[in-house]
Amino acid sequence: MAELLRMPEVAAGSTAAVLSGWPVSEGASFHVGDAIAIVETEKAEVDVPAHTDGTLIKTLVPSGSEVEVGSPIAVIAAPGEAVGDLGDLLARLGVAGPAEARVAVRRDVPGTEQTAGAAASPDPVVRPADRRAFASPLARQLARDAGVAIDTITGTGPGGRVVRDDVNAAIAARVSPPAGAAPDPAPAVVAEPSAAPRATASGAGVAYDAVPHSRMRRAVATRLARSKQDAPHFYVKGRVRVSELLALRQRINAEGRVKISVNDLLIKAVATAHVQVPEMNVVWTADAVHRFRTVDVAVAVATDDGPVTPVVRGVESLSLSAISAQVRTFGEQARSSVLRQNDLEGGSITISNLGMYGVEELSAIINPPQAAILAVGTTTWTACWRPDGSPPCGRASRSRFGWWSETESP
């Protein structure tokens, strides 16, 4: 029997997501586990899998549209099912006809739709003062954070609903007016942005290229700024001797087929520490501290669209080769934008390692709602003196007893 496919809640607590694409065309068949739709969240693109075999009868939402969770996005039917008249079917399912549905769906990039007469008129489109602003929860939150009155924003969503891009456009219009131009009375009309950098000039006459934010970059910036505000941060810094660790890595890589990185060893060390100190393997919530029974460690991975933090689960029971394989897989998936939402959720700590870039020290921001983040720098040769009279420590930290005059040879 034909039924509606609705926008799933791919991220916990999400109220809307962007329909990124349709891997199955209208009229095509699909099987259990096939990706019917691709949904973009703040962290990644997620495949929406089919739970049964079927046929995609009609898509109700075009690619690039933001859709509220639970809203219908397509009509699907059993394999070989005859659906008859599509208009009657949509009416029975309680959705608008195809033409109406396409018009009602919010476009991801609202265009300028002024007529020649409207362009000459200075009067903006104004929301009636006695009408309550119709806006998505995400749009309200963004407007509240930016200090923008939601009822001053003209919505481009279904029924004039104010959505995320409307708020972002209003913020951009408020903080970045064109040089020498008079301020707009209201951001009623939004110029269509381009994915390519735009050459322009600031108020001081300095030229620059405006590179539009990706959804991921905007989300990462918002989350980390909020983390710095809401989570009390304090930093503990220290140096450790890693001569034996590097020697262990060299022996493992000489004898095994899987090459282990220093980061793989650090992930395992963090898991061991969390087992020994379970009070660190927690996250804070409004009602209680959640203490986890397994150690799940997030690993920061840099991509062209911004950093992501896939989570390696059950690290305390994994071998070094299994950790290395999982991290390598996550890195490939992150750079190909095929990580699942589930890969990015959970964990009590993140490891951010910039040692491969020669960075000696860094201060990282906690990835909410986790409890900690470990920022790792590079290894360096440091001379020191051991109080027991043993040989110099070689690849080590500076000692409180001062500097030694020689170092061990590599």
Side-chain angles (χ1 to χ4, degrees):
M1 181 178 179
E3 60 180 349
L4 293 174
L5 176 66
R6 298 181 180 276
M7 174 62 76
E9 185 183 3
V10 291
S14 62
T15 59
V18 174
L19 195 289
S20 182
W22 291 104
V24 179
S25 57
E26 291 184 354
S29 300
F30 54 83
H31 302 284
V32 176
D34 289 349
I36 308 178
I38 302 175
V39 175
E40 182 180 347
T41 69
E42 292 181 339
K43 294 183 177 181
E45 287 192 335
V46 181
D47 291 340
V48 178
H51 298 296
T52 61
D53 294 347
T55 303
L56 181 63
I57 302 300
K58 182 65 181 177
T59 60
L60 304 177
V61 175
S63 300
S65 298
E66 183 177 63
V67 185
E68 298 292 320
V69 170
S71 297
I73 57 176
V75 179
I76 58 177
E81 179 182 351
V83 297
D85 183 81
L86 182 60
D88 291 342
L89 174 61
L90 293 174
R92 291 199 306 271
L93 294 174
V95 296
E100 297 177 32
R102 279 195 293 269
V103 172
V105 172
R106 167 199 173 271
R107 293 163 299 167
D108 186 49
V109 180
T112 56
E113 296 187 2
Q114 289 175 297
T115 63
S121 173
D123 296 328
V125 177
V126 181
R127 188 187 309 276
D130 58 350
R131 177 184 167 190
R132 181 180 179 271
F134 186 38
S136 70
L138 178 58
R140 290 184 179 277
Q141 180 64 47
L142 290 174
R144 185 162 50 248
D145 293 344
V148 177
I150 195 71
D151 57 1
T152 65
I153 302 174
T154 299
T156 60
R161 185 183 186 89
V162 178
V163 291
R164 174 175 53 187
D165 280 359
D166 300 328
V167 178
N168 290 331
I171 296 171
R174 183 185 65 172
V175 301
S176 302
D184 279 341
V189 178
V190 183
E192 184 167 350
S194 169
R198 301 188 300 274
T200 183
S202 69
V206 180
Y208 63 91
D209 291 330
V211 181
H213 297 311
S214 67
R215 292 187 181 90
M216 181 182 295
R217 285 191 182 278
R218 186 180 289 114
V220 169
T222 301
R223 284 170 56 84
L224 293 186
R226 190 166 298 164
S227 172
K228 195 68 173 176
Q229 293 171 355
D230 297 343
H233 279 60
F234 68 93
Y235 296 93
V236 178
K237 300 179 181 179
R239 298 181 181 181
V240 296
R241 289 192 294 268
V242 294
S243 298
E244 294 182 6
L245 182 71
L246 296 179
L248 172 63
R249 174 178 177 252
Q250 188 174 17
R251 291 197 301 271
I252 292 174
N253 288 341
E255 300 171 0
R257 291 179 294 179
V258 177
K259 299 303 179 183
I260 303 301
S261 69
V262 172
N263 211 52
D264 299 331
L265 293 166
L266 290 174
I267 294 171
K268 188 66 176 179
V270 165
T272 301
H274 276 59
V275 170
Q276 295 176 355
V277 186
E279 291 80 8
M280 279 298 299
N281 193 28
V282 299
V283 296
W284 173 277
T285 72
D287 300 321
V289 171
H290 292 182
R291 180 178 295 179
F292 298 119
R293 298 173 183 174
T294 61
V295 182
D296 301 339
V297 180
V299 182
V301 178
T303 72
D304 291 340
D305 292 329
V308 292
T309 52
V311 180
V312 183
R313 306 190 187 280
V315 180
E316 79 285 355
S317 60
L318 294 179
S319 65
L320 284 171
S321 59
I323 294 172
S324 179
Q326 183 64 77
V327 171
R328 190 177 299 110
T329 298
F330 277 154
E332 295 170 353
Q333 292 176 339
R335 285 180 280 273
S336 301
S337 300
V338 295
L339 283 171
R340 298 170 299 176
Q341 184 70 28
N342 183 62
D343 297 330
L344 300 166
E345 295 180 342
S348 58
I349 187 172
T350 294
I351 294 180
S352 180
N353 188 350
L354 295 181
M356 66 285 295
Y357 299 108
V359 176
E360 294 187 3
E361 184 178 292
L362 63 146
S363 298
I365 299 175
I366 295 172
N367 184 22
Q370 295 178 355
I373 185 167
L374 176 65
V376 182
T378 189
T379 58
T380 59
W381 284 96
T382 302
C384 65
W385 175 71
R386 290 178 175 171
D388 59 1
S390 57
C393 11
R395 200 180 287 256
S397 62
R398 183 171 60 179
S399 168
R400 64 185 177 89
F401 296 101
W403 295 102
W404 187 254
S405 60
E406 298 178 357
T407 63
E408 292 179 334
S409 59

PDB file of all heavy atoms in Angstrom, residues 127-149:
ATOM      1  N   ARG A 127       5.771  42.516   7.941  1.00  0.00           N
ATOM      2  CA  ARG A 127       4.872  41.573   8.594  1.00  0.00           C
ATOM      3  C   ARG A 127       3.887  42.355   9.452  1.00  0.00           C
ATOM      4  O   ARG A 127       4.286  43.261  10.173  1.00  0.00           O
ATOM      5  CB  ARG A 127       5.675  40.617   9.483  1.00  0.00           C
ATOM      6  CG  ARG A 127       4.876  39.473  10.057  1.00  0.00           C
ATOM      7  CD  ARG A 127       5.718  38.695  11.060  1.00  0.00           C
ATOM      8  NE  ARG A 127       7.010  38.328  10.523  1.00  0.00           N
ATOM      9  CZ  ARG A 127       7.224  37.258   9.770  1.00  0.00           C
ATOM     10  NH1 ARG A 127       6.217  36.473   9.479  1.00  0.00           N
ATOM     11  NH2 ARG A 127       8.431  36.985   9.313  1.00  0.00           N
ATOM     12  N   PRO A 128       2.598  42.063   9.416  1.00  0.00           N
ATOM     13  CA  PRO A 128       1.636  42.786  10.248  1.00  0.00           C
ATOM     14  C   PRO A 128       2.035  42.742  11.709  1.00  0.00           C
ATOM     15  O   PRO A 128       2.467  41.725  12.218  1.00  0.00           O
ATOM     16  CB  PRO A 128       0.322  42.022   9.991  1.00  0.00           C
ATOM     17  CG  PRO A 128       0.510  41.382   8.656  1.00  0.00           C
ATOM     18  CD  PRO A 128       1.963  41.056   8.548  1.00  0.00           C
ATOM     19  N   ALA A 129       1.841  43.872  12.379  1.00  0.00           N
ATOM     20  CA  ALA A 129       2.315  43.976  13.766  1.00  0.00           C
ATOM     21  C   ALA A 129       1.547  43.061  14.699  1.00  0.00           C
ATOM     22  O   ALA A 129       2.078  42.626  15.715  1.00  0.00           O
ATOM     23  CB  ALA A 129       2.198  45.428  14.235  1.00  0.00           C
ATOM     24  N   ASP A 130       0.287  42.765  14.354  1.00  0.00           N
ATOM     25  CA  ASP A 130      -0.514  41.967  15.265  1.00  0.00           C
ATOM     26  C   ASP A 130      -0.441  40.483  14.955  1.00  0.00           C
ATOM     27  O   ASP A 130      -1.153  39.690  15.540  1.00  0.00           O
ATOM     28  CB  ASP A 130      -1.985  42.417  15.216  1.00  0.00           C
ATOM     29  CG  ASP A 130      -2.558  42.320  13.794  1.00  0.00           C
ATOM     30  OD1 ASP A 130      -1.768  42.102  12.850  1.00  0.00           O
ATOM     31  OD2 ASP A 130      -3.797  42.473  13.651  1.00  0.00           O
ATOM     32  N   ARG A 131       0.443  40.110  14.048  1.00  0.00           N
ATOM     33  CA  ARG A 131       0.552  38.703  13.678  1.00  0.00           C
ATOM     34  C   ARG A 131       1.769  38.081  14.343  1.00  0.00           C
ATOM     35  O   ARG A 131       2.864  38.628  14.285  1.00  0.00           O
ATOM     36  CB  ARG A 131       0.694  38.592  12.162  1.00  0.00           C
ATOM     37  CG  ARG A 131       0.891  37.158  11.673  1.00  0.00           C
ATOM     38  CD  ARG A 131       1.124  37.138  10.164  1.00  0.00           C
ATOM     39  NE  ARG A 131       1.603  35.864   9.716  1.00  0.00           N
ATOM     40  CZ  ARG A 131       2.066  35.649   8.492  1.00  0.00           C
ATOM     41  NH1 ARG A 131       2.100  36.637   7.623  1.00  0.00           N
ATOM     42  NH2 ARG A 131       2.485  34.461   8.137  1.00  0.00           N
ATOM     43  N   ARG A 132       1.608  36.951  14.982  1.00  0.00           N
ATOM     44  CA  ARG A 132       2.715  36.266  15.632  1.00  0.00           C
ATOM     45  C   ARG A 132       3.668  35.704  14.586  1.00  0.00           C
ATOM     46  O   ARG A 132       3.235  35.110  13.610  1.00  0.00           O
ATOM     47  CB  ARG A 132       2.185  35.128  16.520  1.00  0.00           C
ATOM     48  CG  ARG A 132       3.277  34.364  17.252  1.00  0.00           C
ATOM     49  CD  ARG A 132       2.678  33.273  18.102  1.00  0.00           C
ATOM     50  NE  ARG A 132       3.707  32.513  18.786  1.00  0.00           N
ATOM     51  CZ  ARG A 132       4.289  31.451  18.273  1.00  0.00           C
ATOM     52  NH1 ARG A 132       3.972  31.041  17.065  1.00  0.00           N
ATOM     53  NH2 ARG A 132       5.201  30.791  18.965  1.00  0.00           N
ATOM     54  N   ALA A 133       4.966  35.905  14.784  1.00  0.00           N
ATOM     55  CA  ALA A 133       5.957  35.423  13.829  1.00  0.00           C
ATOM     56  C   ALA A 133       5.896  33.901  13.747  1.00  0.00           C
ATOM     57  O   ALA A 133       5.935  33.210  14.763  1.00  0.00           O
ATOM     58  CB  ALA A 133       7.345  35.880  14.254  1.00  0.00           C
ATOM     59  N   PHE A 134       5.810  33.384  12.525  1.00  0.00           N
ATOM     60  CA  PHE A 134       5.764  31.950  12.273  1.00  0.00           C
ATOM     61  C   PHE A 134       7.171  31.522  11.899  1.00  0.00           C
ATOM     62  O   PHE A 134       7.673  31.854  10.825  1.00  0.00           O
ATOM     63  CB  PHE A 134       4.777  31.682  11.142  1.00  0.00           C
ATOM     64  CG  PHE A 134       4.519  30.225  10.878  1.00  0.00           C
ATOM     65  CD1 PHE A 134       4.435  29.309  11.910  1.00  0.00           C
ATOM     66  CD2 PHE A 134       4.366  29.771   9.578  1.00  0.00           C
ATOM     67  CE1 PHE A 134       4.197  27.981  11.664  1.00  0.00           C
ATOM     68  CE2 PHE A 134       4.132  28.445   9.320  1.00  0.00           C
ATOM     69  CZ  PHE A 134       4.039  27.546  10.355  1.00  0.00           C
ATOM     70  N   ALA A 135       7.875  30.817  12.801  1.00  0.00           N
ATOM     71  CA  ALA A 135       9.286  30.506  12.586  1.00  0.00           C
ATOM     72  C   ALA A 135       9.613  29.138  13.137  1.00  0.00           C
ATOM     73  O   ALA A 135       8.984  28.661  14.089  1.00  0.00           O
ATOM     74  CB  ALA A 135      10.173  31.565  13.235  1.00  0.00           C
ATOM     75  N   SER A 136      10.625  28.508  12.538  1.00  0.00           N
ATOM     76  CA  SER A 136      11.090  27.218  13.030  1.00  0.00           C
ATOM     77  C   SER A 136      11.853  27.425  14.338  1.00  0.00           C
ATOM     78  O   SER A 136      12.410  28.510  14.582  1.00  0.00           O
ATOM     79  CB  SER A 136      11.997  26.555  11.997  1.00  0.00           C
ATOM     80  OG  SER A 136      13.222  27.256  11.895  1.00  0.00           O
ATOM     81  N   PRO A 137      11.917  26.412  15.208  1.00  0.00           N
ATOM     82  CA  PRO A 137      12.661  26.553  16.468  1.00  0.00           C
ATOM     83  C   PRO A 137      14.127  26.922  16.239  1.00  0.00           C
ATOM     84  O   PRO A 137      14.700  27.714  16.985  1.00  0.00           O
ATOM     85  CB  PRO A 137      12.514  25.169  17.119  1.00  0.00           C
ATOM     86  CG  PRO A 137      11.251  24.604  16.535  1.00  0.00           C
ATOM     87  CD  PRO A 137      11.204  25.119  15.129  1.00  0.00           C
ATOM     88  N   LEU A 138      14.756  26.353  15.198  1.00  0.00           N
ATOM     89  CA  LEU A 138      16.149  26.667  14.921  1.00  0.00           C
ATOM     90  C   LEU A 138      16.310  28.127  14.532  1.00  0.00           C
ATOM     91  O   LEU A 138      17.242  28.806  14.976  1.00  0.00           O
ATOM     92  CB  LEU A 138      16.673  25.766  13.798  1.00  0.00           C
ATOM     93  CG  LEU A 138      18.115  26.004  13.354  1.00  0.00           C
ATOM     94  CD1 LEU A 138      19.062  25.831  14.529  1.00  0.00           C
ATOM     95  CD2 LEU A 138      18.492  25.063  12.217  1.00  0.00           C
ATOM     96  N   ALA A 139      15.377  28.633  13.718  1.00  0.00           N
ATOM     97  CA  ALA A 139      15.444  30.039  13.309  1.00  0.00           C
ATOM     98  C   ALA A 139      15.288  30.948  14.521  1.00  0.00           C
ATOM     99  O   ALA A 139      15.995  31.961  14.645  1.00  0.00           O
ATOM    100  CB  ALA A 139      14.365  30.331  12.269  1.00  0.00           C
ATOM    101  N   ARG A 140      14.376  30.616  15.428  1.00  0.00           N
ATOM    102  CA  ARG A 140      14.187  31.430  16.633  1.00  0.00           C
ATOM    103  C   ARG A 140      15.463  31.459  17.487  1.00  0.00           C
ATOM    104  O   ARG A 140      15.856  32.494  18.020  1.00  0.00           O
ATOM    105  CB  ARG A 140      13.017  30.900  17.462  1.00  0.00           C
ATOM    106  CG  ARG A 140      11.653  31.130  16.817  1.00  0.00           C
ATOM    107  CD  ARG A 140      10.518  30.673  17.738  1.00  0.00           C
ATOM    108  NE  ARG A 140       9.239  30.910  17.115  1.00  0.00           N
ATOM    109  CZ  ARG A 140       8.602  32.076  17.129  1.00  0.00           C
ATOM    110  NH1 ARG A 140       9.160  33.111  17.746  1.00  0.00           N
ATOM    111  NH2 ARG A 140       7.441  32.222  16.536  1.00  0.00           N
ATOM    112  N   GLN A 141      16.111  30.304  17.607  1.00  0.00           N
ATOM    113  CA  GLN A 141      17.333  30.236  18.414  1.00  0.00           C
ATOM    114  C   GLN A 141      18.438  31.084  17.790  1.00  0.00           C
ATOM    115  O   GLN A 141      19.135  31.840  18.482  1.00  0.00           O
ATOM    116  CB  GLN A 141      17.800  28.779  18.534  1.00  0.00           C
ATOM    117  CG  GLN A 141      19.072  28.589  19.351  1.00  0.00           C
ATOM    118  CD  GLN A 141      18.896  28.983  20.801  1.00  0.00           C
ATOM    119  OE1 GLN A 141      17.928  28.591  21.432  1.00  0.00           O
ATOM    120  NE2 GLN A 141      19.818  29.776  21.332  1.00  0.00           N
ATOM    121  N   LEU A 142      18.617  30.971  16.465  1.00  0.00           N
ATOM    122  CA  LEU A 142      19.643  31.751  15.783  1.00  0.00           C
ATOM    123  C   LEU A 142      19.372  33.248  15.921  1.00  0.00           C
ATOM    124  O   LEU A 142      20.297  34.037  16.152  1.00  0.00           O
ATOM    125  CB  LEU A 142      19.705  31.362  14.309  1.00  0.00           C
ATOM    126  CG  LEU A 142      20.251  29.968  13.987  1.00  0.00           C
ATOM    127  CD1 LEU A 142      20.118  29.671  12.498  1.00  0.00           C
ATOM    128  CD2 LEU A 142      21.706  29.859  14.422  1.00  0.00           C
ATOM    129  N   ALA A 143      18.109  33.640  15.752  1.00  0.00           N
ATOM    130  CA  ALA A 143      17.756  35.046  15.870  1.00  0.00           C
ATOM    131  C   ALA A 143      17.991  35.550  17.290  1.00  0.00           C
ATOM    132  O   ALA A 143      18.505  36.664  17.498  1.00  0.00           O
ATOM    133  CB  ALA A 143      16.300  35.260  15.463  1.00  0.00           C
ATOM    134  N   ARG A 144      17.635  34.737  18.274  1.00  0.00           N
ATOM    135  CA  ARG A 144      17.828  35.133  19.669  1.00  0.00           C
ATOM    136  C   ARG A 144      19.306  35.304  19.985  1.00  0.00           C
ATOM    137  O   ARG A 144      19.713  36.269  20.639  1.00  0.00           O
ATOM    138  CB  ARG A 144      17.190  34.085  20.590  1.00  0.00           C
ATOM    139  CG  ARG A 144      17.225  34.462  22.067  1.00  0.00           C
ATOM    140  CD  ARG A 144      16.222  33.661  22.871  1.00  0.00           C
ATOM    141  NE  ARG A 144      16.312  32.223  22.614  1.00  0.00           N
ATOM    142  CZ  ARG A 144      15.374  31.518  21.985  1.00  0.00           C
ATOM    143  NH1 ARG A 144      14.280  32.118  21.537  1.00  0.00           N
ATOM    144  NH2 ARG A 144      15.518  30.223  21.786  1.00  0.00           N
ATOM    145  N   ASP A 145      20.158  34.364  19.502  1.00  0.00           N
ATOM    146  CA  ASP A 145      21.595  34.462  19.743  1.00  0.00           C
ATOM    147  C   ASP A 145      22.202  35.701  19.095  1.00  0.00           C
ATOM    148  O   ASP A 145      23.154  36.285  19.616  1.00  0.00           O
ATOM    149  CB  ASP A 145      22.303  33.214  19.211  1.00  0.00           C
ATOM    150  CG  ASP A 145      21.941  31.959  19.998  1.00  0.00           C
ATOM    151  OD1 ASP A 145      21.410  32.109  21.114  1.00  0.00           O
ATOM    152  OD2 ASP A 145      22.185  30.853  19.499  1.00  0.00           O
ATOM    153  N   ALA A 146      21.661  36.090  17.934  1.00  0.00           N
ATOM    154  CA  ALA A 146      22.208  37.237  17.206  1.00  0.00           C
ATOM    155  C   ALA A 146      21.577  38.558  17.624  1.00  0.00           C
ATOM    156  O   ALA A 146      21.997  39.616  17.155  1.00  0.00           O
ATOM    157  CB  ALA A 146      22.028  37.034  15.706  1.00  0.00           C
ATOM    158  N   GLY A 147      20.546  38.505  18.472  1.00  0.00           N
ATOM    159  CA  GLY A 147      19.881  39.730  18.893  1.00  0.00           C
ATOM    160  C   GLY A 147      19.014  40.349  17.819  1.00  0.00           C
ATOM    161  O   GLY A 147      18.837  41.568  17.785  1.00  0.00           O
ATOM    162  N   VAL A 148      18.456  39.505  16.940  1.00  0.00           N
ATOM    163  CA  VAL A 148      17.583  39.982  15.868  1.00  0.00           C
ATOM    164  C   VAL A 148      16.137  39.648  16.226  1.00  0.00           C
ATOM    165  O   VAL A 148      15.828  38.499  16.594  1.00  0.00           O
ATOM    166  CB  VAL A 148      17.958  39.326  14.517  1.00  0.00           C
ATOM    167  CG1 VAL A 148      17.003  39.771  13.419  1.00  0.00           C
ATOM    168  CG2 VAL A 148      19.390  39.666  14.143  1.00  0.00           C
ATOM    169  N   ALA A 149      15.245  40.614  16.125  1.00  0.00           N
ATOM    170  CA  ALA A 149      13.827  40.373  16.400  1.00  0.00           C
ATOM    171  C   ALA A 149      13.243  39.498  15.302  1.00  0.00           C
ATOM    172  O   ALA A 149      13.297  39.850  14.122  1.00  0.00           O
ATOM    173  CB  ALA A 149      13.078  41.701  16.495  1.00  0.00           C
TER     174      ALA A 149
END
